[in-house]
Amino acid sequence: MEVVLLGSGNVATHLGHALLNEGHKILQVYSRAQAHADALARTLRAQAISDFGTLTKEADGYIIAVKDDAIASVVAQLPSPLRGVVMHTAGSVGIEVFGARVVRYGVLYPVQTFSKAKVVDFSTIPVAVEGSDEETYGWIARLAGNLSGQVFRCDSKQRLSIHVAAVFACNFTNHLYSIAADLLEEYGLDVDLLRPLILETAEKVMDHQPRDVQTGPAIRNDERTMQKHMELLENQPDLKAIYETLSFRIGGKGVSGKV
Amino acid sequence: MEVVLLGSGNVATHLGHALLNEGHKILQVYSRAQAHADALARTLRAQAISDFGTLTKEADGYIIAVKDDAIASVVAQLPSPLRGVVMHTAGSVGIEVFGARVVRYGVLYPVQTFSKAKVVDFSTIPVAVEGSDEETYGWIARLAGNLSGQVFRCDSKQRLSIHVAAVFACNFTNHLYSIAADLLEEYGLDVDLLRPLILETAEKVMDHQPRDVQTGPAIRNDERTMQKHMELLENQPDLKAIYETLSFRIGGKGVSGKV
């Protein structure tokens, strides 16, 4: 397939390389900032553009991989009509964002966190697909199936639920790591101490349901330990509140034993 | 060394096998429930006991690996005097729990989560050590150093801070996985979808500081996306509250953009 990438961030970068590796051709990389378009286009052997006037109308697919709240404005600037399939890659943006400007459209949402620093194996990433009609769905699903062994169909509401779940399992989890690191630092200790524990906690749910492997004082209703923890957090009311809320949800009882 | 294990749960089991593998001898396994003592003692080629009257006074070390709030009662039932070193393995229990009943005592706290289902490599587990005096500290540190390459000294207050940090990084993290799994289930989807993301999130902090790899709508101050997420959580006020609290901590702004 001949594809245009609209966006030059982490998703565009990883997706572009995965497509190239599978033998697809990236015709153009668009970014508002020409330098960003240049940098990614170079590694993808594509043309860099920063002006919608120079966008080719001849691609088979157009992949919009920009920030969620910039998708609508990219759609609004697409030349009309386009014969190719226009897709976005976001979790939280409904398919209705395409409005009437394009004929064939849909979503290719890779459920993964991408960062500049780290290469991920695209073939293991679940990809949620949605299409404006059966044929377009099939087209996007085939493209996604080329990159990943885990392609599945879901509607915009389900996709939003995945995105919310991902915020809990990824973004909020990383923030808990951050809280833990700060706590250790406060007592002259290094986050290194917790790295094996962090990895083990994630690995444990690879073949178990999270609720079946819950450990810690809250699930044991060990009030004395929770009380000691709360005392250590005495001067950090926001952490205390998070501790209380999550402990209550885990154990069904409050830190003070109250239901 | 000749060691007695007091306890038959996950920590006792993993520690017992690690000691045996390093050539130590487990003399006895104590549990209040004789059947539990029997089961673990059999795999460790040790004697099973459930009565403190039959506890040997000849061991080099006694490792108390019971629930945090049961440690004091085990200490109170030890025969006096014991010439060996008595240790507990808990994060949240201060060294003062040993009182005056034993002469040489301390702590050997492995910073890891142990479960029946999963073997962990003890050699990579950080172990926090504390001792009643320099010589006893040295003795426990050597024993710990036999099992793990990451032994470090810390006092009871620091150890408590590690335990609190571990609750955030492990117990609460697992609960966030659980919340995510429940959300997906509600929309007819499986937690499988999030497994690559969960693992990637943990792996990313193996060589980065968590705060440096934070992603998601909160760190981008993407209010529109956060608003959509809150709407999806409309009927789950406890999840909404967690979402708001953690998003605020991450972004420094509320979901509604208010500081």
Side-chain angles (χ1 to χ4, degrees):
Chain A
M1 298 293 173
E2 298 191 325
V3 177
V4 168
L5 276 180
L6 298 122
S8 59
N10 290 332
V11 175
T13 302
H14 284 87
L15 204 48
H17 284 288
L19 287 165
L20 198 64
N21 284 343
E22 290 304 318
H24 301 287
K25 190 170 164 53
I26 316 297
L27 296 180
Q28 297 179 320
V29 173
Y30 165 87
S31 172
R32 271 190 310 183
Q34 181 71 37
H36 292 171
D38 285 342
L40 180 56
R42 202 174 304 125
T43 69
L44 297 175
R45 301 193 289 274
Q47 184 193 3
I49 61 168
S50 58
D51 173 1
F52 279 97
T54 57
L55 192 78
T56 175
K57 293 185 179 176
E58 305 305 320
D60 301 301
Y62 297 81
I63 301 179
I64 303 174
V66 298
K67 282 185 193 171
D68 293 15
D69 51 8
I71 294 172
S73 107
V74 168
V75 170
Q77 294 174 81
L78 290 174
S80 194
L82 283 173
R83 65 164 190 87
V85 175
V86 184
M87 296 150 275
H88 76 66
T89 59
S92 72
V93 178
I95 196 170
E96 68 281 358
V97 73
F98 292 105
R101 280 198 65 83
V102 283
V103 184
R104 301 176 63 205
Y105 54 85
V107 181
L108 185 159
Y109 168 48
V111 187
Q112 186 52 286
T113 174
F114 299 98
S115 49
K116 286 249 165 6
K118 200 162 174 305
V119 178
V120 292
D121 175 7
F122 219 99
S123 70
T124 64
I125 299 176
V127 180
V129 171
E130 194 172 350
S132 51
D133 55 72
E134 277 305 307
E135 196 224 321
T136 305
Y137 164 75
W139 191 94
I140 302 174
R142 276 191 302 280
L143 183 69
N146 230 238
L147 307 178
S148 160
Q150 286 201 65
V151 175
F152 63 103
R153 186 174 201 163
C154 75
D155 62 27
S156 291
K157 191 74 184 271
Q158 286 178 309
R159 185 156 40 78
L160 183 62
S161 81
I162 299 171
H163 200 238
V164 176
V167 166
F168 280 89
C170 165
N171 307 148
F172 289 170
T173 285
N174 186 77
H175 185 62
L176 294 186
Y177 300 159
S178 212
I179 290 174
D182 290 347
L183 271 170
L184 292 181
E185 202 176 291
E186 203 182 313
Y187 289 87
L189 300 164
D190 194 90
V191 69
D192 254 353
L193 285 184
L194 287 181
R195 287 195 161 113
L197 179 64
I198 285 172
L199 198 56
E200 174 72 12
T201 303
E203 283 178 350
K204 211 181 269 186
V205 297
M206 291 303 111
D207 49 11
H208 291 92
Q209 284 290 328
R211 77 175 69 90
D212 296 337
V213 292
Q214 183 65 54
T215 56
I219 190 82
R220 293 195 306 269
N221 280 312
D222 177 350
E223 284 171 38
R224 201 188 301 197
T225 300
M226 289 193 275
Q227 211 58 61
K228 281 183 198 165
H229 289 175
M230 296 288 281
E231 281 163 27
L232 190 102
L233 299 172
E234 198 52 54
N235 297 320
Q236 297 174 78
D238 56 339
L239 294 190
K240 248 182 100 169
I242 294 170
Y243 190 99
E244 274 190 302
T245 305
L246 292 176
S247 293
F248 184 82
R249 267 201 120 254
I250 291 171
K253 286 188 182 180
V255 171
S256 61
K258 289 195 293 274
V259 175
Chain B
M1 298 293 174
E2 297 192 325
V3 176
V4 169
L5 278 179
L6 298 122
S8 59
N10 290 332
V11 175
T13 302
H14 284 86
L15 203 48
H17 285 289
L19 287 165
L20 199 65
N21 285 344
E22 289 304 319
H24 301 288
K25 188 170 166 51
I26 315 297
L27 296 179
Q28 298 179 319
V29 173
Y30 164 86
S31 172
R32 271 191 311 183
Q34 181 71 36
H36 293 170
D38 286 341
L40 180 55
R42 201 175 305 126
T43 68
L44 297 175
R45 301 193 289 274
Q47 184 194 1
I49 61 169
S50 58
D51 172 2
F52 279 96
T54 56
L55 192 78
T56 174
K57 294 184 178 176
E58 304 306 319
D60 301 302
Y62 298 81
I63 301 179
I64 303 173
V66 297
K67 282 185 192 169
D68 293 15
D69 52 8
I71 294 172
S73 107
V74 168
V75 170
Q77 293 174 81
L78 290 174
S80 192
L82 282 174
R83 65 167 190 84
V85 175
V86 183
M87 296 150 274
H88 76 66
T89 58
S92 71
V93 178
I95 196 170
E96 68 282 358
V97 72
F98 292 105
R101 283 199 63 83
V102 283
V103 184
R104 302 175 65 205
Y105 53 84
V107 180
L108 186 160
Y109 168 50
V111 187
Q112 186 51 287
T113 174
F114 298 97
S115 50
K116 286 249 164 5
K118 198 161 175 306
V119 178
V120 292
D121 175 7
F122 220 100
S123 70
T124 63
I125 299 175
V127 180
V129 171
E130 194 172 351
S132 51
D133 55 72
E134 276 306 308
E135 198 226 318
T136 304
Y137 164 75
W139 191 94
I140 302 174
R142 276 192 302 279
L143 184 68
N146 230 236
L147 307 178
S148 160
Q150 285 201 64
V151 175
F152 63 103
R153 188 174 199 162
C154 74
D155 63 27
S156 292
K157 191 75 185 268
Q158 286 177 309
R159 184 156 40 78
L160 183 62
S161 80
I162 298 171
H163 200 238
V164 176
V167 166
F168 279 90
C170 166
N171 307 147
F172 289 169
T173 285
N174 185 77
H175 186 62
L176 295 186
Y177 299 159
S178 213
I179 289 173
D182 290 346
L183 271 170
L184 291 181
E185 202 176 290
E186 202 182 315
Y187 289 87
L189 301 164
D190 194 272
V191 68
D192 254 353
L193 285 184
L194 287 181
R195 287 196 161 113
L197 179 65
I198 286 173
L199 198 58
E200 174 72 12
T201 303
E203 282 177 351
K204 211 181 268 185
V205 296
M206 291 304 110
D207 48 10
H208 291 92
Q209 284 289 329
R211 76 175 71 90
D212 297 338
V213 291
Q214 184 66 54
T215 55
I219 191 81
R220 293 195 307 269
N221 279 314
D222 177 351
E223 283 171 40
R224 201 188 301 196
T225 300
M226 289 193 274
Q227 211 58 60
K228 281 185 200 165
H229 289 174
M230 296 288 281
E231 280 162 28
L232 189 102
L233 299 173
E234 197 53 53
N235 296 320
Q236 297 175 77
D238 57 340
L239 293 190
K240 248 181 101 168
I242 294 170
Y243 190 100
E244 274 190 304
T245 305
L246 291 175
S247 293
F248 183 83
R249 269 202 120 251
I250 292 171
K253 285 190 181 177
V255 170
S256 61
K258 289 194 294 273
V259 175

